[in-house]
Amino acid sequence: MKYQIIAGIILSLGAALSVGSWHYLKRYENQVIGSEVASQSHNIAKVIKVQLTEQVQSLKRMAKRWEYNNGTPFDQWLFDAMNFMTYEQAYHSLAWVDKYNQIQWVAPIRQVSEVKKLLSEVSQYHNNALAQAKQSQTVAISQSLELAQDGKGFVVVLPLFPKGEFDGYLIGIFSFNQLMSVILETGHFDTPITMMEAGQIVYQQVPENTRVDQNMLQTKLPVFGRQWEIYNWPSQSVLSRSKSLLPAMVLTFGLCISFLLSFSFYFARQVERKKHELEMKNEELRLKNKEIANTQSQLVHSTKLASLGEMATGIAHELNQPLQVISMNAEMGPEFLAQNKTNRVVKSFTDIMQQVDRAQSIIKQLRCFGRDSAHDEHQSISSEELIKSSLMFLKRQFTSKNIEVRENIAPALPQIKCNKVQIEQVLLNLLVNARDAVENSEVKVVGIKAFQKDRRLLIEVYDSGSGIPSDAIDRIFDPFFTTKEVGKGTGLGLSISHAIIEQHGGDISVESEQGKGTQFLVQLPLN
Ligand code: ADP
């Protein structure tokens, strides 16, 4: 839980750092663009002022000539005006208004009616400018007005005072479009621009893809008593020069890296947690395995004790025989002594000692089988001896129950390294099961075969008994599976035999045909 919070903190910190860097770079970029726009805007304002002043200056020179000549004949005036307009391309038209405010002359002549109409329509702006110019005896500019074909324009008025007496006005009508195209061309400006006067757009050059909400700069431009406003945006060239992919890249990489970092941390911790859990589980399993091994060894031991019960009759018989021989010799001993038959006495004692040895070896084998052998070291023993000693315990029983025992042990079998007592226990268990299987059969045969195949010792225990039903054959190696009556079978013999053979690196398998018999095959590695 704790490391999920840490992963979250890493992600949030990384994201905050990335967004912060992106924001900083963007602000820096906008500052660069802003200063570019500011310098362009400043230049445009300057050029507009200079250009307009120059244009007005030319008009002033025309007015000076009028005053100097004390009025100019119409032809001369028209010639001057046309020359002037060809040279100063921003003019829409020129006019002379007499001292009674009547329009007298217009250049070009074809625009007489248009100019007259225009000036009468906007007479209040125009009259204001006339009055202002007359009063101040210098240049005045009207408020913007609508030209017939050329958008917005304005009127520049110059009062004429030849010999100090007022003689009307020289009027220049400008088109904003013409004026601005001359100015922008002269200054090679490609910046989007809008010009406004008294809240009205008088000129606009804004490409469609300009984002009007961004990096806009407003500059106030006072001209001859009027206030124009210029709005500028960064041009495409400024944008492509100043904008870069760096902020977006920083943001994307930053977010990706913080995401990766946080998830790597999260997964690393997950893996560590899982590893720890696995280690705990492994430890648990190890303890459980130890427990199972202990239980198994206890089970092996207890089934072995059960087998001991089975063997009791055989053992009793085995011990009985030497005891009878001892008793007989002991009985005869005093008689031989009385008859002074020393040789016979010695022979009796020798026989007694031989029988005691035999009884001792039986008891030794029995004690050996009875103790817990699970932790015994593997020892090398003769394969033949291993099989014969297992059979020895039961031979008597087989005889008493009229069971024919067939022994077929291949000659010169190699030694085998194993836990002798455990393998004996397996064989004993198979032989006891075979014995029980033939109990009610007509033909009672139990056999044991041993031979070598490759590097394995193969021991087959077979019988002519009842066989195993097909629905039981898959379960006979399961612990506690038994078909024997209560008290006779534990159902543990085969499951323990299976475990013992597996521990020896071998294999145990079964084949059975109902009514005909069963064969168990034990395979043990020879090296
Ligand atoms: P138990 O002998 O105590 O029943 P085992 O595990 O040795 O336990 O045997 C399980 C069962 O397998 C037996 O009860 C019996 O039904 C069957 N079985 C084992 N060996 C033979 C055999 N040779 N012939 C027929 N059935 C057998």
Side-chain angles (χ1 to χ4, degrees):
M1 196 61 196
K2 217 164 141 199
Y3 61 80
Q4 283 163 338
I5 296 172
I6 298 175
I9 292 173
I10 293 177
L11 182 63
S12 318
L13 276 178
L17 206 70
S18 316
V19 173
S21 314
W22 171 79
H23 188 71
Y24 174 79
L25 289 170
K26 268 289 182 202
R27 224 177 53 184
Y28 175 74
E29 200 177 86
N30 280 341
Q31 271 173 8
V32 172
I33 294 172
S35 64
E36 288 255 8
V37 176
S39 99
Q40 263 196 356
S41 182
H42 175 76
N43 286 345
I44 288 176
K46 207 165 114 189
V47 172
I48 290 176
K49 214 159 184 180
V50 168
Q51 281 284 328
L52 193 66
T53 313
E54 258 179 36
Q55 305 259 355
V56 170
Q57 212 56 43
S58 307
L59 202 64
K60 270 186 181 169
R61 277 197 291 277
M62 228 176 127
K64 278 276 168 261
R65 208 160 32 244
W66 179 287
E67 286 174 351
Y68 183 75
N69 294 335
N70 200 9
T72 314
F74 173 67
D75 291 349
Q76 179 69 49
W77 180 87
L78 189 62
F79 180 74
D80 277 357
M82 290 313 286
N83 261 347
F84 174 72
M85 278 175 60
T86 318
Y87 180 65
E88 306 290 356
Q89 286 172 354
Y91 279 90
H92 170 268
S93 48
L94 285 176
W96 173 56
V97 175
D98 67 14
K99 54 187 163 192
Y100 308 110
N101 285 5
Q102 295 301 310
I103 301 168
Q104 293 297 341
W105 300 337
V106 170
I109 297 175
R110 61 187 149 81
Q111 285 179 352
V112 174
S113 56
E114 192 194 320
V115 171
K116 280 188 174 174
K117 193 166 161 250
L118 173 80
L119 291 180
S120 65
E121 270 171 17
V122 291
S123 58
Q124 88 264 24
Y125 304 151
H126 157 233
N127 287 342
N128 282 348
L130 294 185
Q132 196 188 334
K134 188 177 169 187
Q135 200 189 347
S136 61
Q137 298 196 1
T138 182
V139 185
I141 288 186
S142 77
Q143 195 171 334
S144 64
L145 44 91
E146 200 72 46
L147 300 178
Q149 287 157 357
D150 210 5
K152 296 267 183 189
F154 60 95
V155 171
V156 176
V157 181
L158 268 161
L160 299 167
F161 287 97
K163 294 195 177 150
E165 262 195 40
F166 176 63
D167 192 18
Y169 311 90
L170 204 51
I171 287 184
I173 299 171
F174 281 84
S175 142
F176 274 108
N177 280 346
Q178 270 174 281
L179 176 70
M180 285 309 289
S181 66
V182 170
I183 287 169
L184 294 181
E185 228 169 79
T186 322
H188 301 291
F189 297 113
D190 62 348
T191 164
I193 183 170
T194 291
M195 262 176 85
M196 293 186 80
E197 198 221 12
Q200 277 197 346
I201 295 174
V202 293
Y203 174 79
Q204 192 162 33
Q205 180 61 50
V206 180
E208 263 179 28
N209 56 357
T210 307
R211 279 191 57 186
V212 290
D213 57 329
Q214 242 183 19
N215 300 106
M216 189 267 286
L217 194 88
Q218 181 192 11
T219 316
K220 291 204 184 309
L221 178 63
V223 278
F224 300 104
R226 302 219 67 86
Q227 181 89 311
W228 291 351
E229 281 164 358
I230 302 172
Y231 293 86
N232 277 121
W233 290 268
S235 63
Q236 270 314 318
S237 58
V238 168
L239 285 178
S240 52
R241 212 177 325 124
S242 317
K243 284 220 180 241
S244 77
L245 283 175
L246 189 66
M249 272 161 66
V250 165
L251 182 66
T252 317
F253 281 119
L255 286 178
C256 287
I257 284 171
S258 27
F259 186 77
L260 281 177
L261 264 179
S262 128
F263 271 78
S264 314
F265 175 81
Y266 177 77
F267 282 120
R269 298 297 305 188
Q270 281 278 46
V271 168
E272 212 169 283
R273 194 169 64 89
K274 284 266 166 340
K275 199 175 134 198
H276 182 68
E277 273 174 19
L278 267 181
E279 275 168 6
M280 301 273 284
K281 287 233 160 74
N282 268 349
E283 181 58 19
E284 235 170 75
L285 269 180
R286 204 182 56 78
L287 290 175
K288 284 254 153 48
N289 270 345
K290 207 171 156 193
E291 226 172 87
I292 288 170
N294 278 342
T295 319
Q296 208 179 39
S297 103
Q298 277 167 17
L299 272 176
V300 172
H301 191 56
S302 54
T303 49
K304 207 156 51 185
L305 293 180
S307 308
L308 273 179
E310 294 277 357
M311 288 151 41
T313 342
I315 292 157
H317 174 76
E318 290 289 328
L319 281 178
N320 208 27
Q321 263 191 341
L323 280 176
Q324 268 177 2
V325 177
I326 290 168
S327 138
M328 209 172 69
N329 279 300
E331 247 177 52
M332 297 296 287
E335 252 179 66
F336 288 142
L337 264 179
Q339 289 166 16
N340 221 3
K341 291 181 180 168
T342 330
N343 285 348
R344 296 301 298 270
V345 172
V346 172
K347 169 97 176 48
S348 289
F349 276 120
T350 315
D351 283 354
I352 287 172
M353 276 322 291
Q354 269 177 0
Q355 294 311 315
V356 167
D357 279 352
R358 192 177 158 199
Q360 265 178 348
S361 96
I362 293 167
I363 288 165
K364 193 176 154 201
Q365 213 168 346
L366 201 63
R367 277 175 55 196
C368 196
F369 190 79
R371 67 183 182 76
D372 187 355
S373 58
H375 306 293
D376 282 3
E377 288 273 310
H378 287 199
Q379 49 179 279
S380 267
I381 48 158
S382 132
S383 306
E384 190 177 347
E385 191 192 317
L386 182 72
I387 293 156
K388 284 208 179 287
S389 68
S390 311
L391 260 179
M392 187 270 285
F393 290 116
L394 291 169
K395 251 187 177 160
R396 166 79 192 151
Q397 281 192 27
F398 287 137
T399 327
S400 67
K401 293 189 178 198
N402 291 325
I403 299 168
E404 183 193 337
V405 179
R406 291 182 188 163
E407 242 182 272
N408 187 353
I409 299 171
L413 282 178
Q415 294 236 321
I416 180 158
K417 201 167 182 195
C418 64
N419 183 323
K420 179 176 177 271
V421 178
Q422 284 191 339
I423 301 297
E424 271 177 0
Q425 188 184 346
V426 172
L427 297 179
L428 203 68
N429 183 57
L430 295 179
L431 289 166
V432 167
N433 280 343
R435 180 203 68 193
D436 294 346
V438 297
E439 197 165 18
N440 300 317
S441 306
E442 259 179 55
V443 183
K444 298 181 183 189
V445 177
V446 169
I448 186 158
K449 271 189 205 168
F451 53 97
Q452 183 185 351
K453 191 174 178 200
D454 303 328
R455 290 302 301 156
R456 319 202 87 178
L457 173 66
L458 273 62
I459 306 169
E460 189 183 304
V461 177
Y462 61 93
D463 62 67
S464 59
S466 52
I468 306 169
S470 53
D471 59 338
I473 201 154
D474 289 339
R475 296 155 63 206
I476 57 169
F477 290 102
D478 292 351
F480 306 109
F481 175 81
T482 180
T483 54
K484 295 177 189 169
E485 62 204 54
V486 183
K488 199 169 178 197
T490 57
L492 286 170
L494 284 179
S495 69
I496 286 169
S497 300
H498 188 264
I500 290 173
I501 298 299
E502 264 203 344
Q503 276 165 17
H504 277 76
D507 185 44
I508 179 167
S509 56
V510 62
E511 269 179 36
S512 181
E513 201 175 329
Q514 256 190 296
K516 282 202 169 170
T518 305
Q519 302 102 50
F520 280 90
L521 181 67
V522 175
Q523 301 190 41
L524 287 168
L526 275 169
N527 40 5

